[in-house]
Amino acid sequence: MEALGLTIAGNSNSTNGQLPSTMIEEILSRLPVKSLCRFKCVSKPWSSLISDNPSFVASHLYKGIGEDKDDLLFRRRRRVIFTDAAGNGLHSMHLDYDDEFLASYDHDNRNRNSFNFDDDDDEVGDSNLLVTTATELQYIYSELSGISVSMLGCCNGLLLCMFLYDPQLYLINPATRQSKKLPEMPTQYQIDDRYFCNVYGFGFDSSTHQHKVVNGVIYMDEGVEFDVYTLETNSWRQIPYLFPYHIYPCRNKGTLLNGNLHWLGTRVIGDDDDHSSLLIVSLILTEDQEFVREMPLPREFNSSQTRRIKLGVFREWLCVTHEGDYDQTTYNEFWVMKEYRVGKSWTKMRVSIPYWDLSHSGFWTKSHDLMVFGEKLVMYNFNNHSFRNLCVRGIGKVSSVETYLESLVSPK
């Protein structure tokens, strides 16, 4: 490869006045994606490094998410992405506020917190309101078909999406504005009396360094078959096994944690009312061959409640929340699995805001978690149960919410 060639005037310590290539790569790996996209115009070697060098792309990524991640780079690259309540817009925002500011607010306003499910338009002058702005990713709609968008997964800066009136899956990098329409899914199955629905997921196999999209085909009273698309080989393959689980169609988005995908479901075999048949179905992506494991739910849940709970992630733990009826049945508790795959580690947590639908956005700081209460965003402090309602200018209610780290990973 040609030398990267960054000349430093008056530098007598570098050969021919140029910085070593390794030093240039280290500097560039710490820069924002937007800057690097501009710097591709500097020279062909720089363009090749930024666009086509897998080692550099990985180095840039792991500066923000690896075990030795730089916390400052992590906060600079972290973004919250969401759709509006109708799914008609995809928006991105930066929310890494000063924790000390939020903490001081909590101390002064601990007794003034309020929350109203019926407020459609929050007043900017509200003393409990935190106001921010978001950028609509309009370019997505100019390049891809469809109006309404569904986010089906997020991993390493890539989004798995599906658009209204378009049955195909797309991978999108919001930071680089690259997108890819995946090849058609295997058509070995037929939509007949046996077919029930599809479920989806997206993750990364750290053992092979491959990104994997999962399509699960559920058959009534039979089980689920999984097809796996590998980005690096641009191909689909089928796992040759019918797994005896029924995954609820309203939970078609797989929950990604520890490199594996999770859905809420039941065993096909046995009495549906049997408490032991209620479980979490986990598809293991990080082994030589994908396979399914069962994980237990909290003991408090029984078969009659199963369709009224939701599986998600709270910080770095699996969590289960209730689902009630809007403005009728509400709850103040949820469960987190403090130790992965250990049923005894399920721990009850409480919130001071009654909810009928609750999820974690994937964004949190030392003092606050960005929670989604119904269709509203709330910065919540679980230490003292204070909170701030978060209002996004020009946006009313929200729907699907994810957190991603800007990266150079290409969906191509």
Side-chain angles (χ1 to χ4, degrees):
M1 187 177 76
E2 297 180 54
L4 295 177
L6 181 62
T7 302
I8 305 298
N11 188 339
S12 60
N13 296 323
S14 300
T15 304
N16 298 324
Q18 291 186 342
L19 289 176
S21 295
T22 53
M23 186 178 296
I24 296 175
E25 290 186 23
E26 178 65 22
I27 294 172
L28 293 178
S29 69
R30 296 177 177 276
L31 297 181
V33 173
K34 186 175 181 179
S35 299
L36 292 174
C37 289
R38 294 200 306 267
F39 292 165
K40 289 193 291 185
C41 300
V42 170
S43 66
K44 288 183 178 180
W46 278 38
S47 178
S48 178
L49 174 73
I50 295 168
S51 301
D52 305 320
N53 189 315
S55 296
F56 177 77
V57 172
S59 175
H60 182 272
L61 175 67
Y62 292 128
K63 286 286 195 300
I65 67 172
E67 292 183 0
D68 298 324
K69 70 180 181 183
D70 184 311
D71 286 338
L72 178 60
L73 293 180
F74 171 76
R75 293 193 298 271
R76 286 178 175 175
R77 297 177 185 176
R78 183 166 58 167
R79 297 292 185 275
V80 175
I81 192 165
F82 64 93
T83 60
D84 59 28
N88 292 331
L90 197 58
H91 308 264
S92 176
M93 59 185 177
H94 183 255
L95 284 182
D96 278 287
Y97 301 107
D98 185 346
D99 260 8
E100 292 184 3
F101 166 73
L102 289 172
S104 63
Y105 177 92
D106 287 342
H107 178 75
D108 295 335
N109 297 273
R110 189 173 305 172
N111 298 320
R112 292 164 56 186
N113 288 329
S114 61
F115 193 89
N116 189 343
F117 287 110
D118 297 326
D119 283 346
D120 292 328
D121 298 308
D122 291 309
E123 295 293 335
V124 174
D126 185 346
S127 62
N128 189 44
L129 198 62
L130 183 65
V131 181
T132 188
T133 59
T135 302
E136 184 173 6
L137 307 181
Q138 295 178 333
Y139 67 87
I140 289 179
Y141 298 97
S142 64
E143 297 181 12
L144 306 178
S145 61
I147 300 174
S148 179
V149 58
S150 297
M151 291 192 294
L152 301 174
C154 178
C155 181
N156 291 348
L158 296 179
L159 302 179
L160 176 66
C161 296
M162 181 178 284
F163 293 82
L164 186 64
Y165 307 127
D166 186 347
Q168 293 302 113
L169 296 171
Y170 291 83
L171 284 175
I172 301 170
N173 185 323
T176 63
R177 299 193 173 194
Q178 291 179 309
S179 61
K180 177 179 183 175
K181 184 177 182 178
L182 272 56
E184 289 190 8
M185 290 175 274
T187 56
Q188 297 180 15
Y189 65 92
Q190 295 182 348
I191 299 180
D192 52 22
D193 292 340
R194 296 173 56 237
Y195 171 80
F196 187 59
C197 70
N198 288 69
V199 294
Y200 305 99
F202 180 41
F204 180 72
D205 183 348
S206 58
S207 66
T208 60
H209 301 284
Q210 293 179 326
H211 294 83
K212 296 180 178 180
V213 174
V214 172
N215 168 49
V217 184
I218 302 174
Y219 297 98
M220 290 290 292
D221 303 322
E222 293 184 33
V224 55
E225 287 182 342
F226 289 109
D227 301 305
V228 179
Y229 169 81
T230 303
L231 173 60
E232 285 69 18
T233 62
N234 192 34
S235 61
W236 286 94
R237 58 184 171 80
Q238 187 177 70
I239 301 176
Y241 188 74
L242 182 66
F243 296 98
Y245 299 99
H246 187 279
I247 298 171
Y248 295 133
C250 54
R251 306 289 176 260
N252 63 349
K253 174 183 170 182
T255 298
L256 179 65
L257 183 68
N258 293 338
N260 304 318
L261 292 166
H262 309 79
W263 294 271
L264 188 67
T266 61
R267 298 189 190 99
V268 170
I269 301 173
D271 185 356
D272 286 342
D273 291 332
D274 181 5
H275 176 80
S276 64
S277 68
L278 306 177
L279 44 82
I280 295 169
V281 180
S282 174
L283 180 64
I284 310 301
L285 299 179
T286 54
E287 303 287 348
D288 293 337
Q289 177 64 49
E290 298 87 359
F291 63 95
V292 167
R293 277 197 179 123
E294 296 182 3
M295 298 174 65
L297 286 169
R299 292 181 177 273
E300 285 81 356
F301 294 107
N302 56 48
S303 58
S304 63
Q305 293 175 310
T306 303
R307 295 179 183 272
R308 306 296 296 172
I309 63 175
K310 183 167 65 175
L311 181 67
V313 173
F314 178 85
R315 299 177 188 169
E316 297 177 339
W317 306 314
L318 283 175
C319 76
V320 176
T321 58
H322 290 282
E323 281 192 305
D325 300 315
Y326 178 77
D327 205 26
Q328 294 181 14
T329 305
T330 59
Y331 303 90
N332 286 89
E333 59 190 24
F334 62 96
W335 284 257
V336 298
M337 180 180 269
K338 290 291 187 74
E339 189 173 348
Y340 189 59
R341 294 196 190 125
V342 178
K344 293 182 179 179
S345 70
W346 282 109
T347 303
K348 184 184 294 186
M349 296 190 66
R350 297 189 179 277
V351 288
S352 59
I353 305 171
Y355 74 88
W356 59 274
D357 185 20
L358 176 68
S359 61
H360 195 286
S361 68
F363 178 95
W364 75 93
T365 68
K366 293 179 180 179
S367 64
H368 287 73
D369 294 77
L370 180 62
M371 307 296 293
V372 186
F373 285 82
E375 297 173 323
K376 292 190 175 185
L377 297 171
V378 177
M379 281 288 193
Y380 194 95
N381 186 327
F382 280 91
N383 295 319
N384 59 21
H385 296 284
S386 60
F387 61 88
R388 294 196 70 177
N389 301 317
L390 179 64
C391 174
V392 183
R393 293 185 186 275
I395 304 294
K397 298 176 181 179
V398 301
S399 180
S400 180
V401 184
E402 295 274 2
T403 297
Y404 76 100
L405 205 69
E406 291 189 334
S407 80
L408 293 169
V409 177
S410 174
K412 301 294 187 180

